Amino acid sequence: MIFATMVRDLKSSPEKDPALETLERLNPNRASSAPSPALGRLGHPGNAAFLEELYESWKTDASSVDPTWRAFFEGFELGCQLRPPARSGAPVPHGGPTPEFGNVLPQARIYNLLFAYRALGHTLAHLDPLGLTPEENSDLALSTFRFTESDLDSIFDSGTLGGGGPRTLRDILTYLKQTYCDHIGVEFMHIMNFAIRRWLRDRMERSRNQPTFSPAQQRRILEKVIAAESLERFLHTRYVGQKRFSLEGGETLIAVLDTLLESCPASGVEEVVIGMAHRGRLNVLVNTLGKSRRKLFTEFHENYVPETVLGDGDVKYHLGYENDVATSTGKKIRVSLAPNPSHLEAVDPVVEGMARARQRHREDTVKREKVVPVLIHGDGAFIGQGVVAETLNLSRLEGYRTGGTIHIIVNNQIAFTTLAPDSRSTRYCTAPGKALGLPIFHVNGDDPLAAAYVIQLALEFRQKFHEDIILDIVCYRRHGHNEGDEPNFTQPTLYSEIDAHPPVGRLLARQLLDSGVITEEEIQKIRSQIDTVSEDALRESREAVTKFQPKLHPPISCPDLLKEVPTAVPAKKLADLGQSISTIPDDFQINSKIRKLLDTRKAMAEGKAPLDWACAEHLAFASLLTQNVPIRLSGQDSRRGTFSQRHAAIYDLRTRARFIPLKNLSKNQASFCVYNSPLSEAAVLGFDYGYSLDCPEMLVLWEAQFGDFANGAQTQIDQYITSSESKWGTTSRLTLLLPHGYHGQGPEHSSARLERFLQLCAEDNMAVCYPTTPANYFHLLRRQALRKILKPLVVMTPKGLLRDSRATSPVADLTRGSFEEILPDSEITHGARRIILCSGKVFYDLRDYRTKNKITDTAIIRLEQIYPLHTPKLLSALKRHSPDAEIVWCQEESENMGAWCHLALKLQNLLGKQIRYAGRDASSSPATGSLAIHNLEQTLLVQEAFAIPSSIPPKFQTLAKDAKRGAKPRPSSRATSKKNHKIKKKK
Ligand SMILES: Cc1ncc(C[n+]2csc(CCOP(=O)(O)OP(=O)(O)O)c2C)c(N)n1
Ligand SMILES: [Mg+2]
């Protein structure tokens, strides 16, 4: 009614109102006696709510309403300004309402008040259990809206508030404060989507954000809080000083998780995948996932030996767990807690990937309502770690959506020893969620009922809108960061408050006792039952640990990694696949160059043209898909391919309709998913890793734009991909495609940091390959997908070689054999007196040089797989040549990079002789920024491999090296050194 009344008032007002004046100025035609159709609706009282909502929309996002309304609201706001801008020369009014505004628009001011409370009410909410955070906001003072105490009993229209209707100002305020300023503070008015905003508003105002749990539910919530408390107390007294990252102060989390699981069956949720850090993890394992106390206590024992058959295991507060958890109605919910490295928030994208994989298995790929990811964060980590923002940004993307994640922040208002003023530039730690327009609920952690109410709402919201939502449980940390930590060193005043603060269980118990929901005897019974269970478990665990015999594990070894996997595909099949991957619908109009590319692919598959990398990859994918192996490829610009080589998706010239030939091979083929990822490495690689864990039947590939960008995801590589088998027994066939190779394009983009991956190789944890031919790449991809063993694969992939006629394969090479870990020399097959070992692209430079210089005594053997090294094949390739042959390792990467450091000792031990290094000097930056210097270096290192003195005058070589270093001229450089001449002379 506000607007209807207001406009009527405005029109009949003898004085010209500023709002109308502005309106006239902005829209001289529309604000006149003949209003626009839109504004004409103002006179209809039935549309008042509609108008208010429109106003609210405009306030949140001006562009969300049509221009007529925009102009109107701008005028309206201007007219309503509580302190109108002073006209030039006019005195500025101080305090007190302007006479026009104070008298004319009381309804409008009520409306402003509603809006302000919905938007800012959270600033007055009682969120901090310790009461240390100010709860004031002068923008919400009555006087701000030009009301006084004397207006409190005046009746106004309450607009959309809780169903609307006439209410006193006092009632309106009470209503708003109950809803928005009690133990729940909500940020939701920043949400652009009006339907979502309205749903939240109505849902919250209907219940005034007050929980209404049945007595039985309230008792259950108390029980959960008591269970959480007593587990912590038990551990605290039985394992004094042992690290457990206590949840005390934040026990409400356990009640929240229980309420969430209790709400799952009615919401159609079958599975919950949880990711969380250290804080309270042991409590969640026992009290949420049902891990036995006996098992947990055993892990605390000093003689405990992890049950890992292989590998080194991990500390107890990083371990994962999975269980069917029964709700009170007997329904079972599958709940899993992902294993977690210490690196905070690294688990986030992994859990998202796992959830999406599980949705796939439950055939829940449209609504994604059966599997719900839940991420539990710390306040410091949520605002501090970039991967949080990267993961949030995945949430609405086609290839990475999971239908909405429930984020729970155990906001103990501290991070180790760091308080909010040092840890964030924002009021709340939840600020990253605001960028995405997520609803954010802050709840006082001392009110488990309020928190349980919010989690119910959160699940309802998630299932309805398939969006992320954040629940920020504002609590405190009763002890230090861990149990050996003294918080009084750094937070003496805070900790004296905390020491005096009653535990949450006691507060809730008091509340339920007062309301007659429970009796003191019942509470005692709950406590003593839980303690008895713990005591029994402790006794059993003590018996169990006597059986432990610590012994060193042998390293993990997987000899089958070197077993041949048949990967050849018959010629007829390849030709058919070639036809399929080059066929597009008749009504599709495509770019002529793409048409040509497709025709070439067809010819390549039929053996009429030499096969290039992209075609080999397409044929590998196509053959796997028709063998029922699903494939997921994700990476930046992966649909087209960074180097415009792949063209997995083809676009109609007129409509940009997309056609993906690999999705259209046959009716029964497996699914092919190819996504352009957002510009993130950590979150996307983490996501694909998580996906690959729970979709072992699928070939999951993550592609870096250039290989060096993988270092943006180093945490995922170190903490998960390379070490998770040893730590947690989890493996996957995730494949990393990393463009690598020195082409004189500067220090960036030349190196995928092969050396880093090789440094992480041990215990057969993965394979690292640098194939040199399309055919071998074809066999490698097929081996990775078809072999039973699950191991990650890291592939150095080509850039320049993609279009290099030297790096092609006859299609026949796809129809026979399998992946060749070692490629012996096919030209100098026997009796060489020098053997150059190399890996990857430099092979072609070496071979060209040999041909050009008619060298016949030197063989070149390629290591297509550097780890695990296929020593039998390498030895057999070497055996064909002279036993006295000089062995050289040649690489284009600098001496401290590439495969040299990894292989040097290994090869020397294997072959029992020194190996000569030919390559770039050690360098801090991977490559030179000058193409000329690159070319010179490349020439020199090839010459060096053949131990031939350079034909380039030494003066130029030295100058080039010095120019690269930006250093003063030096006496000599490697390629011209006396040492090399000596080698030559010896021969
Ligand atoms: C990426 C990363 N950086 C630093 C640390 C060291 N660290 C462990 S816990 C912690 C404080 C975390 O604070 P918060 O996120 O608020 O969680 P809380 O411990 O308070 O529950 C820090 C800095 C870490 N584990 N991971
Ligand atoms: Mg914290």
Side-chain angles (χ1 to χ4, degrees):
M1 294 296 286
I2 291 170
F3 279 94
T5 322
M6 192 185 73
V7 171
R8 207 175 43 240
D9 290 350
L10 285 173
K11 282 184 173 166
S12 60
S13 167
E15 286 179 67
K16 193 90 168 168
D17 186 87
L20 273 187
E21 267 179 17
T22 314
L23 197 57
E24 275 175 6
R25 210 175 49 247
L26 289 169
N27 289 287
N29 301 328
R30 287 176 183 159
S32 65
S33 52
S36 75
L39 293 179
R41 295 170 73 181
L42 282 172
H44 197 295
N47 285 329
F50 164 76
L51 290 169
E52 278 185 26
E53 288 179 342
L54 216 55
Y55 176 66
E56 198 178 286
S57 268
W58 173 79
K59 279 201 86 131
T60 313
D61 173 17
S63 66
S64 65
V65 302
D66 83 32
T68 312
W69 285 116
R70 232 180 285 156
F72 174 75
F73 290 132
E74 279 162 13
F76 167 68
E77 279 272 294
L78 221 63
C80 290
Q81 267 179 3
L82 307 176
R83 289 193 181 88
R87 297 209 176 90
S88 55
V92 179
H94 265 294
T98 57
E100 300 92 334
F101 185 72
N103 295 336
V104 177
L105 297 171
Q107 269 301 151
R109 285 180 279 127
I110 288 287
Y111 188 71
N112 259 318
L113 181 126
L114 294 180
F115 185 88
Y117 266 84
R118 285 167 182 156
L120 298 174
H122 57 88
T123 58
L124 295 187
H126 312 305
L127 302 177
D128 180 2
L130 304 175
L132 301 176
T133 317
E135 295 163 357
E136 56 201 20
N137 190 343
S138 60
D139 286 348
L140 294 180
L142 206 51
S143 59
T144 301
F145 305 93
R146 294 293 180 263
F147 290 119
T148 64
E149 296 280 317
S150 62
D151 295 316
L152 285 175
D153 292 316
S154 306
I155 293 180
F156 297 93
D157 189 297
S158 58
T160 50
L161 180 69
R167 285 189 174 97
T168 62
L169 175 56
R170 189 187 305 280
D171 285 347
I172 289 173
L173 279 171
T174 307
Y175 205 125
L176 287 170
K177 285 182 177 167
Q178 270 186 324
T179 310
Y180 297 112
C181 313
D182 197 0
H183 283 166
I184 298 171
V186 202
E187 292 179 88
F188 75 111
M189 293 296 275
H190 58 279
I191 299 173
M192 296 282 192
N193 182 319
F194 183 56
I196 293 185
R197 223 166 52 231
R198 183 167 46 186
W199 183 88
L200 283 165
R201 184 197 66 197
D202 292 347
R203 171 75 172 72
M204 292 188 290
E205 290 179 3
R206 204 180 326 129
S207 61
R208 300 188 187 213
N209 268 341
Q210 300 297 320
T212 50
F213 289 109
S214 70
Q217 286 171 319
Q218 293 182 45
R219 280 196 294 273
R220 186 178 172 103
I221 288 168
L222 176 65
E223 256 178 63
K224 287 290 157 187
V225 174
I226 292 176
E229 274 177 2
S230 50
L231 179 66
E232 295 293 351
R233 232 189 346 259
F234 196 84
L235 293 173
H236 197 71
T237 49
R238 304 308 155 108
Y239 300 99
V240 179
Q242 278 217 46
K243 264 193 208 176
R244 66 175 195 281
F245 296 103
S246 150
L247 183 61
E248 282 157 281
E251 293 94 332
T252 290
L253 173 71
I254 300 300
V256 162
L257 290 175
D258 181 67
T259 310
L260 176 69
L261 297 185
E262 285 288 290
S263 311
C264 282
S267 309
V269 180
E270 296 168 5
E271 182 161 2
V272 173
V273 188
I274 304 176
M276 75 180 294
H278 51 285
R279 176 85 44 223
R281 194 176 172 93
L282 302 182
N283 217 314
V284 169
L285 280 166
V286 170
N287 284 316
T288 306
L289 282 102
K291 174 170 171 167
S292 87
R293 281 172 161 73
R294 182 190 62 74
K295 175 99 185 54
L296 177 71
F297 298 160
T298 311
E299 290 166 3
F300 267 92
H301 202 278
E302 60 192 11
N303 286 343
Y304 172 68
V305 179
E307 280 164 22
T308 46
V309 188
L310 295 163
D312 296 329
D314 198 355
V315 291
K316 51 193 162 294
Y317 41 83
H318 290 161
L319 299 178
Y321 199 72
E322 185 155 347
N323 204 358
D324 285 327
V325 175
T327 65
S328 56
T329 56
K331 279 262 166 40
K332 294 237 164 104
I333 306 294
R334 188 86 184 148
V335 187
S336 50
L337 179 63
N340 182 71
S342 172
H343 287 54
L344 295 167
E345 306 292 343
V347 72
D348 300 357
V350 177
V351 163
E352 296 296 330
M354 288 168 65
R356 181 145 163 144
R358 286 163 191 242
Q359 287 167 347
R360 181 185 170 85
H361 284 153
R362 288 187 191 262
E363 296 180 351
D364 182 26
T365 54
V366 181
K367 291 188 165 175
R368 304 187 183 276
E369 290 174 356
K370 294 182 188 166
V371 181
V372 177
V374 174
L375 291 176
I376 302 171
H377 314 266
D379 50 317
F382 191 75
I383 185 81
Q385 292 291 302
V387 70
V388 171
E390 288 189 26
T391 307
L392 288 173
N393 186 43
L394 298 181
S395 64
R396 295 187 185 121
L397 305 182
E398 183 196 352
Y400 309 86
R401 272 185 308 117
T402 51
T405 299
I406 297 180
H407 299 269
I408 302 173
I409 299 179
V410 179
N411 178 359
N412 53 20
Q413 311 190 68
I414 194 164
F416 211 146
T417 66
T418 303
L419 300 177
D422 288 329
S423 84
R424 57 180 189 255
S425 299
T426 56
R427 178 185 183 105
Y428 297 115
C429 65
T430 49
K434 228 170 165 180
L436 274 99
L438 306 183
I440 300 168
F441 286 80
H442 309 280
V443 187
N444 188 317
D446 266 359
D447 189 346
L449 298 181
Y453 156 86
V454 174
I455 200 73
Q456 284 186 330
L457 188 155
L459 183 62
E460 208 179 314
F461 171 86
R462 190 264 179 204
Q463 294 299 80
K464 187 168 176 63
F465 295 106
H466 310 114
E467 290 264 311
D468 286 22
I469 184 164
I470 300 177
L471 162 56
D472 172 27
I473 304 176
V474 186
C475 52
Y476 57 92
R477 189 186 72 193
R478 181 154 301 279
H479 308 291
H481 175 61
N482 58 49
E483 289 57 40
D485 196 55
E486 173 52 83
N488 280 302
F489 290 158
T490 50
Q491 272 83 27
T493 46
L494 173 66
Y495 270 80
S496 63
E497 293 281 345
I498 291 175
D499 287 345
H501 194 77
V504 58
R506 206 184 309 154
L507 293 173
L508 182 60
R510 184 74 267 151
Q511 187 186 337
L512 301 197
L513 282 168
D514 290 349
S515 57
V517 165
I518 201 162
T519 64
E520 192 64 60
E521 293 69 42
E522 284 170 310
I523 294 174
Q524 283 318 320
K525 200 169 153 204
I526 295 170
R527 287 193 197 282
S528 70
Q529 269 175 352
I530 295 172
D531 286 345
T532 309
V533 174
S534 292
E535 289 293 353
D536 290 349
L538 181 67
R539 202 173 328 103
E540 288 167 28
S541 74
R542 283 187 176 139
E543 285 159 21
V545 289
T546 56
K547 298 187 194 113
F548 286 127
Q549 284 299 325
K551 62 174 192 305
L552 297 179
H553 286 301
I556 303 175
S557 122
C558 185
D560 283 358
L561 266 186
L562 297 180
K563 265 201 182 156
E564 185 170 334
V565 178
T567 48
V569 175
K572 166 82 175 75
K573 171 88 180 163
L574 289 172
D576 289 349
L577 293 173
Q579 170 77 39
S580 307
I581 60 171
S582 54
T583 304
I584 48 157
D586 291 340
D587 58 351
F588 229 69
Q589 249 189 43
I590 63 169
N591 182 293
S592 58
K593 285 185 187 148
I594 301 291
R595 180 65 269 166
K596 203 164 152 237
L597 178 136
L598 295 180
D599 292 344
T600 311
R601 271 187 190 163
K602 183 166 176 290
M604 287 175 179
E606 287 167 350
K608 294 177 185 157
L611 199 82
D612 67 10
W613 287 86
C615 186
E617 183 187 82
H618 250 70
L619 289 175
F621 288 166
S623 61
L624 289 167
L625 293 167
T626 50
Q627 261 177 282
N628 217 17
V629 177
I631 297 172
R632 172 188 166 92
L633 167 64
S634 105
Q636 288 154 25
D637 308 286
S638 283
R639 282 188 180 129
R640 189 202 72 172
T642 296
F643 312 100
S644 201
Q645 83 282 15
R646 181 172 292 121
H647 293 285
I650 288 161
Y651 297 91
D652 186 289
L653 285 178
R654 300 152 304 177
T655 61
R656 202 183 171 264
R658 192 162 61 211
F659 181 76
I660 298 181
L662 286 169
K663 277 181 186 281
N664 291 278
L665 302 169
S666 78
K667 257 198 215 137
N668 308 323
Q669 72 165 95
S671 63
F672 177 67
C673 313
V674 57
Y675 300 111
N676 286 345
S677 79
L679 219 167
S680 138
E681 285 78 27
V684 176
L685 179 56
F687 186 100
D688 287 320
Y689 169 75
Y691 197 95
S692 71
L693 278 181
D694 284 344
C695 248
E697 73 282 8
M698 196 163 190
L699 177 62
V700 179
L701 307 111
W702 174 77
E703 184 175 55
Q705 183 115 74
F706 285 96
D708 47 359
F709 293 123
N711 64 11
Q714 199 65 48
T715 304
Q716 302 296 341
I717 293 165
D718 291 351
Q719 264 54 43
Y720 281 105
I721 296 168
T722 60
S723 59
S724 63
E725 183 176 10
S726 172
K727 294 194 288 193
W728 313 310
T730 50
T731 57
S732 105
R733 63 173 96 240
L734 179 69
T735 299
L736 274 58
L737 304 180
L738 309 177
H740 174 82
Y742 283 49
H743 295 279
Q745 290 180 348
E748 312 295 311
H749 314 330
S750 291
S751 172
R753 301 294 196 169
L754 174 61
E755 62 281 359
R756 295 236 182 100
F757 290 95
L758 292 172
Q759 190 205 36
L760 296 167
C761 286
E763 299 185 275
D764 287 336
N765 59 342
M766 60 178 162
V768 177
C769 299
Y770 191 176
T772 53
T773 68
N776 224 16
Y777 180 48
F778 171 90
H779 289 296
L780 176 60
L781 290 173
R782 287 180 48 78
R783 182 187 81 171
Q784 180 67 357
L786 295 175
R787 72 176 167 195
K788 298 267 180 311
I789 309 162
L790 297 174
K791 293 279 178 181
L793 167 67
V794 177
V795 192
M796 300 291 119
T797 56
K799 296 177 293 173
L801 288 189
L802 289 167
R803 292 188 174 78
D804 192 326
S805 60
R806 297 173 302 171
T808 54
S809 299
V811 75
D813 283 0
L814 275 48
T815 65
R816 58 179 175 235
S818 53
F819 177 68
E820 302 273 8
E821 293 90 344
I822 304 289
L823 275 178
D825 200 319
S826 58
E827 292 167 33
I828 313 274
T829 54
H830 289 85
R833 288 171 41 235
R834 176 179 301 114
I835 298 165
I836 301 174
L837 301 176
C838 66
S839 189
K841 171 182 157 278
V842 76
F843 162 76
Y844 290 104
D845 295 346
L846 290 166
R847 195 182 61 180
D848 285 353
Y849 187 88
R850 184 177 68 181
T851 310
K852 197 170 149 214
N853 291 283
K854 302 193 173 55
I855 299 170
T856 55
D857 66 348
T858 303
I860 309 170
I861 296 176
R862 284 169 274 176
L863 273 59
E864 302 274 298
Q865 176 169 300
I866 307 165
Y867 186 86
L869 190 61
H870 204 307
T871 45
K873 280 194 181 174
L874 176 60
L875 290 173
S876 120
L878 287 166
K879 229 195 256 163
R880 303 178 191 176
H881 303 287
S882 162
D884 302 326
E886 183 199 18
I887 312 279
V888 182
W889 173 262
C890 180
Q891 66 178 28
E892 58 179 7
E893 298 86 355
S894 300
E895 189 171 5
N896 55 327
M897 301 173 190
W900 172 237
C901 290
H902 173 81
L903 287 172
L905 253 185
K906 229 183 215 186
L907 291 176
Q908 281 172 15
N909 288 342
L910 180 73
L911 308 178
K913 57 169 144 180
Q914 283 290 315
I915 306 213
R916 183 163 64 82
Y917 169 78
R920 286 178 167 85
D921 285 350
S923 65
S924 53
S925 160
T928 170
S930 151
L931 179 61
I933 295 175
H934 160 83
N935 287 337
L936 179 56
E937 288 174 350
Q938 200 80 1
T939 310
L940 293 175
L941 71 89
V942 170
Q943 287 175 346
E944 196 176 350
F946 288 94
I948 290 172
S950 174
S951 55
I952 299 162
K955 193 177 123 202
F956 291 114
Q957 298 171 27
T958 312
L959 282 176
K961 290 207 169 188
D962 288 338
K964 180 188 152 196
R965 287 187 179 81
K968 288 189 203 116
R970 303 172 313 144
S972 71
S973 68
R974 169 186 299 285
T976 57
S977 70
K978 283 183 192 143
K979 189 179 85 194
N980 284 354
H981 287 294
K982 257 189 228 150
I983 294 166
K984 174 68 185 160
K985 269 185 219 148
K986 251 194 244 163
K987 304 221 109 258

